[in-house]
Amino acid sequence: MGAASSTAAGAPAPQRPRLGSRLASFVALLEVVSAVVLAWILLDELPRGIQLAGGALVRTGVVVVRAGERAAPPAPPATA
């Protein structure tokens, strides 16, 4: 509520870095990896090898996409 009232009072809202659509989709896949880890910790369910391989694949995808976004030059401003 405090942030909303300060924005309404005319104070600028803090700028947060935005995720690109590609990175956001890969980060969303981390939910599945998190569920496996939580099941392992809370329910004592050991993940199988294929689940660990899938988690490693998702993590690798996030790293590759993130590295690609850093290397990509910024888009030129649109002219109207």
Side-chain angles (χ1 to χ4, degrees):
M1 181 88 182
S5 61
S6 66
T7 304
Q15 291 291 335
R16 295 186 179 133
R18 297 183 61 127
L19 295 178
S21 58
R22 291 185 315 173
L23 181 60
S25 66
F26 277 98
V27 169
L29 290 174
L30 288 175
E31 290 180 27
V32 178
V33 176
S34 300
V36 170
V37 171
L38 285 175
W40 188 1
I41 293 170
L42 299 176
L43 304 174
D44 200 27
E45 290 186 12
L46 293 176
R48 297 181 186 160
I50 192 74
Q51 290 171 317
L52 293 174
L57 187 63
V58 168
R59 187 175 175 106
T60 302
V62 169
V63 170
V64 167
V65 168
R66 185 70 176 174
E69 284 188 353
R70 287 185 187 157
T79 57

